[in-house]
Amino acid sequence: MALLSLADKLELHELVGRYGDAIDDRAWERLDHIFTGDAVFEVRGLDIVMNGLDEIKAFMDEAGDRHPQAHLMTNIYCFEKGGEVQLRCRGLFPEANTAADDKSSVVYHGSYYDTVVKTAAGWRIRHRIYVRGRMND
């Protein structure tokens, strides 16, 4: 596989931002422009595996208010490995404190480990693994 072009890297960087905004806006239809139709999304530590775009959308919709208040995406980079393109990023996720007398927020972080493919419609995530914190790869 040839090296990723600057245009590819920019599109992949924006893919991450579009994902965060789609989830924060609860705009599940926008996930059509993020994932392939047959994408797999794993949430490690919770033993959740979503197979296909329809299942991903249904899960996101059912999660409702359990989503963080915002997905702040950072440390974004991509590279080629074993003939595939990998996309990595971290996220910071503010949530309201659940204590009744505490109006502060808590922030947790997690990592996304994506395998992406270039389709006729642009770059899409084919396989995503999310973990709280990070995993050694």
Side-chain angles (χ1 to χ4, degrees):
M1 179 179 288
L3 292 175
L4 291 165
S5 71
L6 187 55
D8 288 329
K9 289 181 178 190
L10 179 60
E11 187 177 343
L12 287 165
H13 202 274
E14 289 188 355
L15 183 68
V16 171
R18 289 196 317 268
Y19 169 79
D21 279 350
I23 300 302
D24 293 346
D25 293 345
R26 310 311 194 241
W28 315 132
E29 73 282 356
R30 286 194 235 154
L31 296 178
D32 294 349
H33 305 285
I34 309 293
F35 295 96
T36 62
D38 62 348
V40 175
F41 190 147
E42 300 178 54
V43 180
R44 298 265 173 100
L46 297 179
D47 297 324
I48 297 169
V49 178
M50 296 156 265
N51 291 294
L53 184 55
D54 290 339
E55 203 169 301
I56 294 168
K57 288 179 182 179
F59 175 84
M60 295 299 177
D61 189 49
E62 290 166 11
D65 291 337
R66 292 186 316 230
H67 287 287
Q69 294 170 323
H71 287 67
L72 307 173
M73 312 306 277
T74 185
N75 295 36
I76 303 163
Y77 64 98
C78 54
F79 59 95
E80 296 173 69
K81 180 179 179 183
E84 295 183 312
V85 177
Q86 304 295 310
L87 180 61
R88 301 288 186 265
C89 68
R90 308 274 182 258
L92 298 171
F93 312 106
E95 289 188 342
N97 195 323
T98 57
D101 61 342
D102 191 342
K103 302 298 182 204
S104 65
S105 294
V106 295
V107 177
Y108 68 91
H109 72 281
S111 301
Y112 295 95
Y113 299 83
D114 300 332
T115 301
V116 294
V117 294
K118 192 169 191 174
T119 71
W123 285 96
R124 301 289 185 266
I125 298 168
R126 185 180 74 214
H127 188 199
R128 165 165 276 185
I129 298 171
Y130 169 77
V131 298
R132 251 190 169 176
R134 64 183 294 170
M135 66 183 195
N136 298 323
D137 57 343

